[in-house]
Amino acid sequence: MRFYGDGIPGVHPEELTGRLIVMEGADGSGRSTQMDILRDALENKGHATVNVGLRRSTLVSDELKEAKQGNVLGEITRSLFYATDFADQLENRIIPALKAGFIVLADRYIYTLMARDIARGADRGWVRSLYGIALVPDLVVYVKVSPAQLIERNLRKNATLDYWESGMDLGLSRDSFDSFISYQRLIQKEFALMQAEYGFSTVNGNLTVRSVAKEISLRVVDILGV
Amino acid sequence: MIVSQDRGRYPGRLIAVEGLDGSGKSTQLYLLKRWLEMKGLKVFFTEWNSSLLIKKATSKGKKRQLLTPTTFSLIHCTDFADRYERQILPLLKAGYLVLCDRYIYTAFARDAVRGCSPDWLHNLYGFACHPDITLFFNTSLQIALGRILGGRPQLKYHEAGMDLGLSSDPYESFRIFQGKIYEEYLAMKDRFRFIEIDGADPIEAQQQKVRELIAAEIDLAHYRSRTIV
């Protein structure tokens, strides 16, 4: 394996014999459902897996949850808080599992964090260097769903749109529906820009759960040979 | 995001002190602050690793020894960013004299010793402007160590650099760690235009020099508080 940038001091990527599969996509894209299906399929074939996601670090996850409730963090501070959360999981969960030969399934990775930061005005070069600590995954599946479809699924599930997933803090619109559409378009635009550089495997998430799963499974077999 | 090295746009002035533990920098900054305050100037003081918001996470990480060089660096940068975004920058805009006990150079020195890439570190702190004046309290390693270790204090794990595995003896580890940080400071001092103060001089003599320097560099009358108390 290799790092995007300078990497992590003391970690030798050639010692990492496991695989890293990332699933990206907005809330309501079916990302988590697809993650579960993929894990079942891999374990069924005898592969050991480890799940990671955002805001799950021992170090700062509680503080991040707290900060999400109120609007107390500045933009740079929030970016760095998320980066700390990511780095903690990278070093304490992802890398040890990869050393032990596991398949690590990441429910979102640096791309969501980068897109969110950039949508909020962060400098692209700054963000890219910040996440130079990240390992290059073996496969990044990007489950892409149209904003209109996302709204429908989110409303069916929660009957309300999440403040942050609607990007309400950006002041795009005071109406959460309008803000959600504009914000998700912004994020999708960032993903489209990142696509060339990071080589996402984009899957049409507007299709049924079963056909999306089939598509993902094909790509996993194709790239990993597992 | 404000990625700006261009300090000229803000009416305030930023003064930072750097140096080893035991170099006397905090004492000198305190005396400077008192002098400025008593002149009736708008002064704000902030120190390294003091954001209330981040403190809980930092102390948890340190206590449980959860921190690696990368997360150590990131969490200190988060702390700095919080103080920068909510205090340092707004106060500079409001025309304050902002005094910082340790600034980004502390991270450049410590984190580089811990193995972080210097390029990555410099980019990480790229959102912060450089101070108008950076005072570097240059004390020989021996003097600084003597001041700290003289009382055989209880050294904290990270303070002693125990996470680097330099030595199993905290005092020996602290000596080696501080020596490496000192080298990093010396390597940085010209590039970032540190003004050196001899930390071996008597306290009064150092303070005299600091006050003269500040008065020569900054039109202090301009920073008088206009609020009637």
Side-chain angles (χ1 to χ4, degrees), chain B residues 171-213:
Chain B
Y171 295 102
E172 186 53 26
S173 170
F174 183 74
R175 278 188 204 102
I176 304 172
F177 184 46
Q178 293 294 310
K180 286 173 183 280
I181 290 175
Y182 188 55
E183 280 167 29
E184 291 290 335
Y185 270 132
L186 294 182
M188 266 191 295
K189 71 185 169 79
D190 294 332
R191 178 174 176 193
F192 296 114
R193 286 182 291 174
F194 291 175
I195 298 172
E196 284 182 76
I197 305 284
D198 189 343
D201 283 348
I203 289 176
E204 293 80 0
Q206 287 184 54
Q207 184 59 208
Q208 171 91 22
K209 197 171 168 199
V210 168
R211 289 180 185 183
E212 278 168 13
L213 254 164

Side-chain angles (χ1 to χ4, degrees), chain A residues 6-9 58-63 66 72-81 83-84 87-88 91-92 117 120-123 125-133, chain B residues 1-3 53-54 56-58 60-62 64 66-71 74-75 77-79 81-86 114-120 123-127:
Chain A
D6 290 321
I8 303 263
T58 331
L59 195 56
V60 292
S61 60
D62 292 347
E63 285 76 8
E66 209 173 290
V72 284
L73 296 180
E75 300 293 356
I76 304 171
T77 311
R78 187 173 48 236
S79 290
L80 288 167
F81 230 141
T84 308
D88 189 49
E91 291 198 81
N92 294 313
D117 288 351
R120 286 170 176 79
D123 178 79
W126 184 76
V127 174
R128 189 173 300 134
S129 165
L130 175 61
Y131 287 107
I133 56 171
Chain B
M1 182 180 304
I2 326 99
V3 181
L53 206 65
I54 320 297
K56 231 169 60 189
T58 316
K60 179 170 68 184
K62 286 184 178 171
R64 297 198 213 154
L66 291 171
L67 298 171
T68 63
T70 305
T71 50
L74 283 170
I75 209 159
C77 188
T78 312
D79 181 287
D82 184 42
R83 290 182 296 115
Y84 191 79
E85 289 190 288
R86 294 203 296 165
R114 287 195 157 87
C116 295
S117 136
D119 288 344
W120 182 76
N123 176 78
L124 184 62
Y125 283 93
F127 60 87

Side-chain angles (χ1 to χ4, degrees), chain A:
Chain A
M1 298 192 85
R2 61 187 179 88
F3 290 109
Y4 278 119
D6 290 321
I8 303 263
V11 175
H12 309 290
E14 63 279 4
E15 290 174 4
L16 308 176
T17 55
R19 302 294 192 130
L20 175 58
I21 301 176
V22 171
M23 197 94 74
E24 285 279 7
D27 281 359
S29 62
R31 196 185 68 243
S32 304
T33 309
Q34 292 301 332
M35 238 7 196
D36 291 343
I37 296 173
L38 180 59
R39 194 190 58 215
D40 286 350
L42 290 170
E43 289 183 353
N44 194 28
K45 288 184 189 165
H47 300 290
T49 66
V50 165
N51 280 58
V52 297
L54 305 182
R55 261 190 300 113
R56 294 191 204 163
S57 73
T58 331
L59 195 56
V60 292
S61 60
D62 292 347
E63 285 76 8
L64 268 177
K65 264 173 217 143
E66 209 173 290
K68 256 186 108 181
Q69 300 308 314
N71 221 339
V72 284
L73 296 180
E75 300 293 356
I76 304 171
T77 311
R78 187 173 48 236
S79 290
L80 288 167
F81 230 141
Y82 272 96
T84 308
D85 172 81
F86 171 77
D88 189 49
Q89 291 199 72
L90 179 65
E91 291 198 81
N92 294 313
R93 291 180 53 116
I94 299 178
I95 288 173
L98 289 173
K99 265 189 195 157
F102 281 63
I103 295 182
V104 176
L105 301 175
D107 187 346
R108 293 187 149 166
Y109 199 61
I110 59 170
Y111 318 106
T112 287
L113 299 174
M114 293 169 81
R116 283 181 188 166
D117 288 351
I118 293 168
R120 286 170 176 79
D123 178 79
R124 281 197 174 78
W126 184 76
V127 174
R128 189 173 300 134
S129 165
L130 175 61
Y131 287 107
I133 56 171
L135 283 164
V136 179
D138 294 283
L139 174 66
V140 183
V141 176
Y142 171 39
V143 186
K144 192 176 171 190
V145 174
S146 68
Q149 180 69 235
L150 284 176
I151 288 223
E152 202 180 306
R153 294 191 194 172
N154 274 292
L155 290 178
R156 200 188 307 148
K157 199 167 156 192
N158 300 319
T160 145
L161 297 170
D162 178 74
Y163 180 88
W164 298 100
E165 277 286 301
S166 310
M168 289 297 279
D169 59 310
L170 272 84
L172 301 166
S173 165
R174 299 179 71 165
D175 176 86
S176 72
F177 181 92
D178 293 343
S179 180
F180 186 96
I181 298 277
S182 309
Y183 178 64
Q184 292 299 335
R185 282 209 184 111
L186 271 178
I187 295 287
Q188 292 196 349
K189 204 184 96 202
E190 269 318 311
F191 268 87
L193 286 173
M194 284 192 279
Q195 161 81 42
E197 188 175 348
Y198 296 99
F200 304 141
S201 192
T202 306
V203 170
N204 181 358
N206 295 308
L207 306 174
T208 63
V209 172
R210 192 189 291 194
S211 34
V212 174
K214 203 170 152 196
E215 191 58 40
I216 291 173
S217 154
L218 282 175
R219 297 189 192 197
V220 171
V221 171
D222 199 28
I223 290 183
L224 303 184
V226 292

